[in-house]
Amino acid sequence: MAEPEFTATGVRIEKRLRSLTRAGQVRISDGRVELLTSYGSEIDSAPVQAVRASKPWFAPDGRALADLNGQRYLLTLGDHDPAPGRTGPPAARRFIEAVRRAAGREG
């Protein structure tokens, strides 16, 4: 298995008004975006080319929308990248950039 292109832990993953996990994982690896529970069980995954990631206009920094397989997920990542040597989720903008870069949609 190749090194993941993006990994975030401690991510809150919501679908509609329901929280699926408060400490989940988001991973971009081998051309797929995966949403995982804190135990590593898959919530959803899709090829990166089929995933749309954006910043919701109605939410504060640290949140991103991800559309996978026709389902919309609200991801709460960090407001800013953690300090070097510290744990914590990276900024939501890094996730959005990583999806675009992995799909070949720079910009």
Side-chain angles (χ1 to χ4, degrees):
M1 181 181 213
E3 186 71 24
E5 299 167 38
F6 177 88
T7 302
T9 58
V11 178
R12 182 181 183 108
I13 302 173
E14 299 173 74
K15 182 177 164 185
R16 299 192 186 230
L17 296 176
R18 187 172 146 227
S19 175
L20 302 175
T21 182
R22 292 182 292 167
Q25 300 175 40
V26 177
R27 187 169 49 206
I28 300 174
S29 180
D30 296 328
R32 294 190 70 77
V33 175
E34 300 173 307
L35 304 180
L36 307 168
T37 66
S38 56
Y39 299 108
S41 300
E42 185 176 291
I43 295 170
D44 205 347
S45 72
V48 73
Q49 291 85 1
V51 174
R52 225 177 67 212
S54 61
K55 176 163 180 0
W57 60 269
F58 58 85
D61 287 344
R63 292 197 174 186
L65 289 174
D67 292 331
L68 284 80
N69 301 317
Q71 300 295 320
R72 178 167 287 173
Y73 297 93
L74 179 62
L75 311 175
T76 304
L77 293 105
D79 290 334
H80 49 78
D81 291 330
R86 297 267 192 185
T87 60
R93 66 176 167 69
R94 277 201 36 227
F95 166 70
I96 296 167
E97 291 167 2
V99 169
R100 291 178 180 161
R101 194 171 41 253
R105 297 184 303 243
E106 295 291 330

